[in-house]
mmCIF file of all heavy atoms in Angstrom:
data_model
loop_
_atom_site.group_PDB
_atom_site.id
_atom_site.type_symbol
_atom_site.label_atom_id
_atom_site.label_comp_id
_atom_site.label_asym_id
_atom_site.label_seq_id
_atom_site.Cartn_x
_atom_site.Cartn_y
_atom_site.Cartn_z
ATOM 1 N N GLN A 182 -128.095 -24.219 54.061
ATOM 2 C CA GLN A 182 -127.600 -24.182 52.687
ATOM 3 C C GLN A 182 -126.427 -23.218 52.528
ATOM 4 O O GLN A 182 -126.021 -22.923 51.400
ATOM 5 C CB GLN A 182 -128.745 -23.769 51.741
ATOM 6 C CG GLN A 182 -129.961 -24.670 51.780
ATOM 7 C CD GLN A 182 -129.643 -26.089 51.351
ATOM 8 O OE1 GLN A 182 -128.861 -26.300 50.421
ATOM 9 N NE2 GLN A 182 -130.226 -27.068 52.037
ATOM 10 N N SER A 183 -125.900 -22.741 53.607
ATOM 11 C CA SER A 183 -124.806 -21.755 53.579
ATOM 12 C C SER A 183 -123.559 -22.325 54.232
ATOM 13 O O SER A 183 -123.653 -23.061 55.232
ATOM 14 C CB SER A 183 -125.240 -20.470 54.291
ATOM 15 O OG SER A 183 -124.173 -19.563 54.398
ATOM 16 N N THR A 184 -122.397 -21.971 53.688
ATOM 17 C CA THR A 184 -121.138 -22.383 54.303
ATOM 18 C C THR A 184 -120.779 -21.414 55.422
ATOM 19 O O THR A 184 -120.664 -20.214 55.194
ATOM 20 C CB THR A 184 -120.000 -22.386 53.278
ATOM 21 O OG1 THR A 184 -120.324 -23.273 52.202
ATOM 22 C CG2 THR A 184 -118.673 -22.810 53.903
ATOM 23 N N PRO A 185 -120.651 -21.888 56.641
ATOM 24 C CA PRO A 185 -120.356 -20.960 57.751
ATOM 25 C C PRO A 185 -118.964 -20.352 57.643
ATOM 26 O O PRO A 185 -118.019 -20.986 57.145
ATOM 27 C CB PRO A 185 -120.479 -21.856 58.987
ATOM 28 C CG PRO A 185 -120.230 -23.239 58.500
ATOM 29 C CD PRO A 185 -120.773 -23.292 57.106
ATOM 30 N N ALA A 186 -118.855 -19.131 58.106
ATOM 31 C CA ALA A 186 -117.542 -18.469 58.154
ATOM 32 C C ALA A 186 -116.745 -18.928 59.376
ATOM 33 O O ALA A 186 -115.526 -18.741 59.425
ATOM 34 C CB ALA A 186 -117.709 -16.958 58.189
ATOM 35 N N ALA A 187 -117.418 -19.518 60.338
ATOM 36 C CA ALA A 187 -116.753 -20.080 61.534
ATOM 37 C C ALA A 187 -117.671 -21.092 62.183
ATOM 38 O O ALA A 187 -118.909 -20.949 62.124
ATOM 39 C CB ALA A 187 -116.389 -18.982 62.508
ATOM 40 N N GLU A 188 -117.092 -22.108 62.767
ATOM 41 C CA GLU A 188 -117.823 -23.109 63.547
ATOM 42 C C GLU A 188 -117.175 -23.208 64.918
ATOM 43 O O GLU A 188 -115.957 -23.114 65.029
ATOM 44 C CB GLU A 188 -117.807 -24.473 62.842
ATOM 45 C CG GLU A 188 -118.509 -24.514 61.511
ATOM 46 C CD GLU A 188 -118.508 -25.908 60.893
ATOM 47 O OE1 GLU A 188 -119.286 -26.757 61.367
ATOM 48 O OE2 GLU A 188 -117.723 -26.137 59.958
ATOM 49 N N PHE A 189 -117.988 -23.406 65.953
ATOM 50 C CA PHE A 189 -117.416 -23.505 67.289
ATOM 51 C C PHE A 189 -118.127 -24.601 68.051
ATOM 52 O O PHE A 189 -119.297 -24.919 67.801
ATOM 53 C CB PHE A 189 -117.515 -22.163 68.029
ATOM 54 C CG PHE A 189 -118.859 -21.523 67.998
ATOM 55 C CD1 PHE A 189 -119.816 -21.794 68.966
ATOM 56 C CD2 PHE A 189 -119.201 -20.624 66.989
ATOM 57 C CE1 PHE A 189 -121.065 -21.209 68.955
ATOM 58 C CE2 PHE A 189 -120.449 -20.009 66.960
ATOM 59 C CZ PHE A 189 -121.383 -20.306 67.954
ATOM 60 N N ARG A 190 -117.408 -25.182 69.001
ATOM 61 C CA ARG A 190 -117.909 -26.302 69.789
ATOM 62 C C ARG A 190 -117.607 -26.078 71.266
ATOM 63 O O ARG A 190 -116.650 -25.396 71.637
ATOM 64 C CB ARG A 190 -117.240 -27.619 69.338
ATOM 65 C CG ARG A 190 -117.513 -27.994 67.882
ATOM 66 C CD ARG A 190 -118.944 -28.503 67.724
ATOM 67 N NE ARG A 190 -119.209 -28.931 66.351
ATOM 68 C CZ ARG A 190 -119.683 -28.125 65.409
ATOM 69 N NH1 ARG A 190 -119.933 -26.841 65.681
ATOM 70 N NH2 ARG A 190 -119.919 -28.584 64.191
ATOM 71 N N ASP A 191 -118.466 -26.639 72.111
ATOM 72 C CA ASP A 191 -118.250 -26.664 73.546
ATOM 73 C C ASP A 191 -117.960 -25.280 74.127
ATOM 74 O O ASP A 191 -116.963 -25.054 74.794
ATOM 75 C CB ASP A 191 -117.095 -27.626 73.868
ATOM 76 C CG ASP A 191 -117.070 -28.031 75.335
ATOM 77 O OD1 ASP A 191 -118.129 -28.078 75.970
ATOM 78 O OD2 ASP A 191 -115.950 -28.284 75.848
ATOM 79 N N MET A 192 -118.863 -24.376 73.849
ATOM 80 C CA MET A 192 -118.723 -23.002 74.401
ATOM 81 C C MET A 192 -119.008 -23.006 75.897
ATOM 82 O O MET A 192 -120.066 -23.448 76.342
ATOM 83 C CB MET A 192 -119.685 -22.066 73.675
ATOM 84 C CG MET A 192 -119.348 -21.823 72.216
ATOM 85 S SD MET A 192 -117.929 -20.710 72.009
ATOM 86 C CE MET A 192 -118.688 -19.136 72.385
ATOM 87 N N ARG A 193 -118.047 -22.469 76.666
ATOM 88 C CA ARG A 193 -118.192 -22.430 78.112
ATOM 89 C C ARG A 193 -117.681 -21.101 78.648
ATOM 90 O O ARG A 193 -116.810 -21.041 79.520
ATOM 91 C CB ARG A 193 -117.451 -23.610 78.749
ATOM 92 C CG ARG A 193 -118.001 -24.959 78.343
ATOM 93 C CD ARG A 193 -117.313 -26.110 79.071
ATOM 94 N NE ARG A 193 -117.850 -27.399 78.635
ATOM 95 C CZ ARG A 193 -118.946 -27.968 79.152
ATOM 96 N NH1 ARG A 193 -119.626 -27.358 80.100
ATOM 97 N NH2 ARG A 193 -119.373 -29.133 78.694
ATOM 98 N N GLY A 194 -118.250 -20.024 78.123
ATOM 99 C CA GLY A 194 -117.848 -18.705 78.565
ATOM 100 C C GLY A 194 -117.385 -17.841 77.404
ATOM 101 O O GLY A 194 -117.515 -18.208 76.244
ATOM 102 N N PRO A 195 -116.840 -16.659 77.709
ATOM 103 C CA PRO A 195 -116.423 -15.723 76.656
ATOM 104 C C PRO A 195 -115.375 -16.352 75.732
ATOM 105 O O PRO A 195 -114.460 -17.038 76.187
ATOM 106 C CB PRO A 195 -115.828 -14.547 77.453
ATOM 107 C CG PRO A 195 -116.424 -14.662 78.824
ATOM 108 C CD PRO A 195 -116.612 -16.126 79.072
ATOM 109 N N ARG A 196 -115.524 -16.053 74.438
ATOM 110 C CA ARG A 196 -114.536 -16.573 73.473
ATOM 111 C C ARG A 196 -114.522 -15.649 72.236
ATOM 112 O O ARG A 196 -115.579 -15.206 71.786
ATOM 113 C CB ARG A 196 -114.862 -17.998 73.060
ATOM 114 C CG ARG A 196 -113.759 -18.630 72.190
ATOM 115 C CD ARG A 196 -114.174 -19.956 71.594
ATOM 116 N NE ARG A 196 -114.491 -20.984 72.602
ATOM 117 C CZ ARG A 196 -114.839 -22.227 72.271
ATOM 118 N NH1 ARG A 196 -114.948 -22.587 70.990
ATOM 119 N NH2 ARG A 196 -115.124 -23.097 73.231
ATOM 120 N N ASP A 197 -113.312 -15.432 71.728
ATOM 121 C CA ASP A 197 -113.147 -14.718 70.446
ATOM 122 C C ASP A 197 -113.125 -15.758 69.343
ATOM 123 O O ASP A 197 -112.306 -16.685 69.379
ATOM 124 C CB ASP A 197 -111.853 -13.895 70.428
ATOM 125 C CG ASP A 197 -111.926 -12.703 71.366
ATOM 126 O OD1 ASP A 197 -113.018 -12.142 71.509
ATOM 127 O OD2 ASP A 197 -110.887 -12.350 71.960
ATOM 128 N N LEU A 198 -113.956 -15.558 68.333
ATOM 129 C CA LEU A 198 -114.095 -16.537 67.249
ATOM 130 C C LEU A 198 -113.659 -15.883 65.938
ATOM 131 O O LEU A 198 -114.402 -15.113 65.327
ATOM 132 C CB LEU A 198 -115.539 -17.018 67.145
ATOM 133 C CG LEU A 198 -116.107 -17.640 68.435
ATOM 134 C CD1 LEU A 198 -117.619 -17.822 68.311
ATOM 135 C CD2 LEU A 198 -115.436 -18.968 68.723
ATOM 136 N N PRO A 199 -112.424 -16.173 65.468
ATOM 137 C CA PRO A 199 -111.979 -15.631 64.163
ATOM 138 C C PRO A 199 -112.721 -16.309 63.028
ATOM 139 O O PRO A 199 -113.030 -17.509 63.091
ATOM 140 C CB PRO A 199 -110.481 -15.943 64.126
ATOM 141 C CG PRO A 199 -110.332 -17.119 65.045
ATOM 142 C CD PRO A 199 -111.373 -16.980 66.120
ATOM 143 N N LEU A 200 -112.982 -15.544 61.975
ATOM 144 C CA LEU A 200 -113.696 -16.098 60.819
ATOM 145 C C LEU A 200 -112.700 -16.682 59.834
ATOM 146 O O LEU A 200 -111.613 -16.126 59.614
ATOM 147 C CB LEU A 200 -114.546 -15.019 60.144
ATOM 148 C CG LEU A 200 -115.974 -14.856 60.706
ATOM 149 C CD1 LEU A 200 -115.952 -14.553 62.183
ATOM 150 C CD2 LEU A 200 -116.717 -13.760 59.950
ATOM 151 N N ASP A 201 -113.065 -17.804 59.203
ATOM 152 C CA ASP A 201 -112.244 -18.429 58.201
ATOM 153 C C ASP A 201 -112.473 -17.774 56.838
ATOM 154 O O ASP A 201 -113.404 -16.977 56.666
ATOM 155 C CB ASP A 201 -112.578 -19.933 58.091
ATOM 156 C CG ASP A 201 -112.310 -20.651 59.409
ATOM 157 O OD1 ASP A 201 -111.390 -20.244 60.125
ATOM 158 O OD2 ASP A 201 -113.055 -21.616 59.702
ATOM 159 N N SER A 202 -111.635 -18.134 55.873
ATOM 160 C CA SER A 202 -111.804 -17.627 54.508
ATOM 161 C C SER A 202 -112.650 -18.563 53.653
ATOM 162 O O SER A 202 -112.843 -18.325 52.476
ATOM 163 C CB SER A 202 -110.433 -17.435 53.849
ATOM 164 O OG SER A 202 -109.717 -18.661 53.816
ATOM 165 N N VAL A 203 -113.139 -19.660 54.251
ATOM 166 C CA VAL A 203 -113.919 -20.631 53.485
ATOM 167 C C VAL A 203 -115.299 -20.081 53.186
ATOM 168 O O VAL A 203 -115.766 -20.072 52.040
ATOM 169 C CB VAL A 203 -114.030 -21.969 54.247
ATOM 170 C CG1 VAL A 203 -114.903 -22.950 53.477
ATOM 171 C CG2 VAL A 203 -112.633 -22.550 54.467
ATOM 172 N N GLY A 204 -115.998 -19.609 54.215
ATOM 173 C CA GLY A 204 -117.320 -19.046 54.032
ATOM 174 C C GLY A 204 -117.266 -17.580 53.678
ATOM 175 O O GLY A 204 -116.195 -16.960 53.630
ATOM 176 N N VAL A 205 -118.438 -16.973 53.448
ATOM 177 C CA VAL A 205 -118.526 -15.547 53.159
ATOM 178 C C VAL A 205 -118.182 -14.769 54.440
ATOM 179 O O VAL A 205 -118.720 -15.050 55.506
ATOM 180 C CB VAL A 205 -119.926 -15.177 52.655
ATOM 181 C CG1 VAL A 205 -120.053 -13.679 52.447
ATOM 182 C CG2 VAL A 205 -120.234 -15.917 51.360
ATOM 183 N N THR A 206 -117.320 -13.773 54.329
ATOM 184 C CA THR A 206 -116.933 -12.962 55.493
ATOM 185 C C THR A 206 -117.245 -11.485 55.302
ATOM 186 O O THR A 206 -116.904 -10.666 56.171
ATOM 187 C CB THR A 206 -115.431 -13.141 55.808
ATOM 188 O OG1 THR A 206 -114.677 -12.739 54.657
ATOM 189 C CG2 THR A 206 -115.116 -14.580 56.157
ATOM 190 N N SER A 207 -117.850 -11.127 54.186
ATOM 191 C CA SER A 207 -118.182 -9.725 53.923
ATOM 192 C C SER A 207 -119.686 -9.597 53.751
ATOM 193 O O SER A 207 -120.301 -10.337 52.972
ATOM 194 C CB SER A 207 -117.452 -9.239 52.675
ATOM 195 O OG SER A 207 -117.779 -7.900 52.390
ATOM 196 N N GLY A 208 -120.276 -8.663 54.479
ATOM 197 C CA GLY A 208 -121.710 -8.466 54.360
ATOM 198 C C GLY A 208 -122.219 -7.470 55.388
ATOM 199 O O GLY A 208 -121.455 -6.851 56.126
ATOM 200 N N GLU A 209 -123.550 -7.336 55.437
ATOM 201 C CA GLU A 209 -124.194 -6.367 56.316
ATOM 202 C C GLU A 209 -124.896 -7.009 57.508
ATOM 203 O O GLU A 209 -125.509 -6.312 58.330
ATOM 204 C CB GLU A 209 -125.207 -5.537 55.515
ATOM 205 C CG GLU A 209 -124.585 -4.769 54.356
ATOM 206 C CD GLU A 209 -125.581 -3.896 53.637
ATOM 207 O OE1 GLU A 209 -126.750 -3.811 54.092
ATOM 208 O OE2 GLU A 209 -125.214 -3.298 52.619
#
Side-chain angles (χ1 to χ4, degrees):
Q182 302 298 321
S183 173
T184 301
E188 296 182 75
F189 50 89
R190 298 286 182 270
D191 197 29
M192 292 285 284
R193 297 184 181 275
R196 187 189 299 181
D197 290 326
L198 303 168
L200 272 57
D201 299 328
S202 59
V203 177
V205 176
T206 59
S207 179
E209 300 183 6

